[in-house]
Amino acid sequence: MDYIIIVLLSILLLVTIISLLKSNHGSDHQTERLGRFETNITKEIGTFKYEFTNNLRNDFDKLNENVERKLLEINDRVNQRLDENFEKTNKTFSNVLERLSKIDEAQKKIDSLSSEIVSLQSVLTDKKTRGIFGEVNLNYILSSVFGENNQSIYQIQHKMPNGSIADAILFTPAPLGTVCIDSKFPLENYERMTNRSLSKEVRDVAFKQFKTDVKKHIDAIHDKYIIPGFTANEAILFLPAEAIFAEINAYHTDLLQYAYQKKVWITSPTTLMSTLTTIHMIIKNMERDKYAKVIHEELTKLGVEFERYRVRWSALSNHIETVSKDVRELNITTDKITKRFDSINNAEIIKQQDEKKLEHTS
């Protein structure tokens, strides 16, 4: 735009100079020359205007084409980015929906588990159902370690000689022997003792009562399930709750000492599993040692038999060698006799041939 203004100002300045020259010089020749010059200038200006207009139009056309092409490229890129972002957004939305469905499913399971926990709590409030729960848990651990109904190692609800019935009894080899297991679940006073919403006085009373309950269970197991001459000198108290076992081990070491004096082992599901697994390994090793001893005895017997076999085979080998020598000598004698017979036969045939020749010549 500035270039156009400069050109127009130059043309205007030139026309002004021509006009001044016309006014100052009145000669016809100069006027004619100036007229031709003005005509040429006008023609050149027209040509320049035309070319300038065409060039400007072409430049505008090229500029429009470039702008349109750039706009199309930008539009394509924007559409591509929008498609990619839409695809990513769609995937994200699908993942969110999937996660929400999983969360909803997990929430349903949590609700179901909460209802089961509530029902379990209602079940465990009764002493009889707690006892059944402990027995079932104990049976599950025994079957997991020793196998289902492996009565050669353990039995459930075994009746003792004194009339008591043990929840389980283990038949282990010496020096351990027969060990009884009884399940106990001192829950009421434990819950009151650990319930922070209750007053300290109530919790202190529950604390003392909890100790009394555990000692009663230890005494009952010692009196009922340790029978001299029938069982081992120890028995096992099984607590089906890990929390109660942890409470005793952490804050009631006097109960552990009391149980040790009464020869009663206090176990939880985890520690009982470890104890039974150790006993199972000991039983397997003892069986393996027993079989190894039997194998060693059999190998010793086999060694004696093999030595006897070696002596007899040596004697037989000597006999075979003697017979083989006799057979070889017999074969040599047979060959000699056969050759002698052959020579005799050959001599007889030659004699007969000589006699026939004599008859023909005579």
Side-chain angles (χ1 to χ4, degrees):
M1 193 68 183
D2 294 336
Y3 179 72
I4 295 172
I5 293 171
I6 293 171
V7 170
L8 292 176
L9 290 174
S10 300
I11 294 171
L12 182 61
L13 180 61
L14 184 62
V15 171
T16 304
I17 293 171
I18 292 171
S19 300
L20 291 174
L21 290 173
K22 282 184 178 181
S23 58
N24 294 328
H25 301 279
S27 64
D28 294 336
H29 181 69
Q30 290 181 348
T31 301
E32 183 180 357
R33 289 182 62 187
L34 289 173
R36 285 197 304 271
F37 180 74
E38 182 180 1
T39 301
N40 292 331
I41 290 298
T42 303
K43 186 185 294 185
E44 289 179 0
I45 289 173
T47 302
F48 171 77
K49 182 179 179 181
Y50 177 76
E51 291 178 354
F52 178 77
T53 303
N54 287 334
N55 292 331
L56 188 62
R57 186 182 297 110
N58 291 331
D59 291 338
F60 273 115
D61 291 338
K62 290 180 180 179
L63 181 62
N64 288 330
E65 289 178 359
N66 291 329
V67 170
E68 288 180 358
R69 186 172 65 255
K70 294 293 183 180
L71 288 175
L72 289 175
E73 291 178 358
I74 293 171
N75 187 37
D76 292 338
R77 291 180 181 177
V78 170
N79 290 331
Q80 183 179 359
R81 293 292 179 86
L82 288 175
D83 292 338
E84 292 176 356
N85 292 332
F86 179 76
E87 184 178 359
K88 292 180 180 178
T89 304
N90 191 21
K91 288 182 179 179
T92 304
F93 186 70
S94 300
N95 292 330
V96 170
L97 291 177
E98 184 179 358
R99 296 292 177 86
L100 288 175
S101 63
K102 290 183 178 179
I103 292 173
D104 185 59
E105 183 180 357
Q107 184 63 40
K108 291 180 181 178
K109 290 182 179 180
I110 291 172
D111 294 337
S112 175
L113 183 60
S114 300
S115 62
E116 290 177 0
I117 291 173
V118 171
S119 63
L120 180 60
Q121 288 177 347
S122 63
V123 168
L124 295 179
T125 54
D126 183 64
K127 290 184 178 180
K128 185 177 181 180
T129 53
R130 286 205 304 271
I132 295 173
F133 173 78
E135 293 171 5
V136 171
N137 199 354
L138 175 60
N139 188 17
Y140 173 76
I141 293 173
L142 289 169
S143 61
S144 297
V145 176
F146 300 112
E148 193 76 22
N149 296 323
N150 191 354
Q151 295 189 0
S152 62
I153 299 180
Y154 75 93
Q155 290 182 8
I156 302 298
Q157 298 299 312
H158 183 79
K159 189 173 183 179
M160 308 296 289
N162 58 7
S164 302
I165 298 176
D167 290 337
I169 188 168
L170 292 176
F171 303 108
T172 62
L176 186 58
T178 303
V179 180
C180 295
I181 305 175
D182 198 61
S183 175
K184 300 297 182 182
F185 206 161
L187 184 64
E188 294 95 340
N189 289 301
Y190 169 76
E191 288 182 337
R192 286 195 292 269
M193 177 181 66
T194 56
N195 189 355
R196 297 296 178 181
S197 62
L198 299 177
S199 64
K200 187 176 184 303
E201 291 77 10
V202 175
R203 286 189 281 115
D204 290 340
V205 173
F207 181 85
K208 295 178 181 179
Q209 189 60 42
F210 176 76
K211 287 181 176 291
T212 303
D213 293 340
V214 175
K215 286 183 178 181
K216 285 181 180 179
H217 293 321
I218 294 172
D219 291 336
I221 291 174
H222 176 267
D223 296 337
K224 292 180 181 180
Y225 306 123
I226 298 178
I227 302 174
F230 182 77
T231 67
N233 294 328
E234 297 88 5
I236 297 176
L237 189 158
F238 172 62
L239 296 173
E242 295 285 351
I244 299 177
F245 177 79
E247 174 72 21
I248 293 174
N249 278 270
Y251 305 108
H252 304 275
T253 55
D254 56 330
L255 292 178
L256 296 176
Q257 186 66 28
Y258 185 80
Y260 177 76
Q261 293 174 358
K262 291 291 184 176
K263 305 295 183 182
V264 176
W265 303 340
I266 300 176
T267 62
S268 66
T270 303
T271 56
L272 180 63
M273 180 78 75
S274 301
T275 302
L276 296 180
T277 303
T278 303
I279 293 174
H280 194 206
M281 292 297 296
I282 292 172
I283 293 173
K284 282 189 173 181
N285 289 333
M286 293 183 69
E287 290 179 353
R288 189 180 297 111
D289 293 340
K290 180 178 68 176
Y291 289 131
K293 183 178 180 181
V294 172
I295 291 172
H296 183 266
E297 291 176 355
E298 293 298 325
L299 286 174
T300 303
K301 293 178 182 179
L302 183 62
V304 173
E305 294 295 332
F306 186 77
E307 179 64 22
R308 188 178 299 154
Y309 169 79
R310 188 189 65 79
V311 172
R312 292 177 179 177
W313 172 256
S314 179
L316 178 61
S317 177
N318 293 331
H319 289 303
I320 291 173
E321 288 180 359
T322 303
V323 172
S324 177
K325 182 179 179 182
D326 293 338
V327 168
R328 286 196 300 271
E329 291 176 353
L330 186 61
N331 284 330
I332 293 170
T333 303
T334 302
D335 291 339
K336 289 180 178 180
I337 294 172
T338 301
K339 290 179 180 179
R340 187 64 58 85
F341 273 112
D342 291 338
S343 62
I344 293 171
N345 288 331
N346 291 330
E348 184 65 28
I349 292 171
I350 294 170
K351 182 179 179 182
Q352 290 178 0
Q353 290 177 354
D354 291 339
E355 290 178 353
K356 286 182 180 181
K357 288 180 180 181
L358 290 173
E359 288 178 359
H360 287 295
T361 52
S362 62

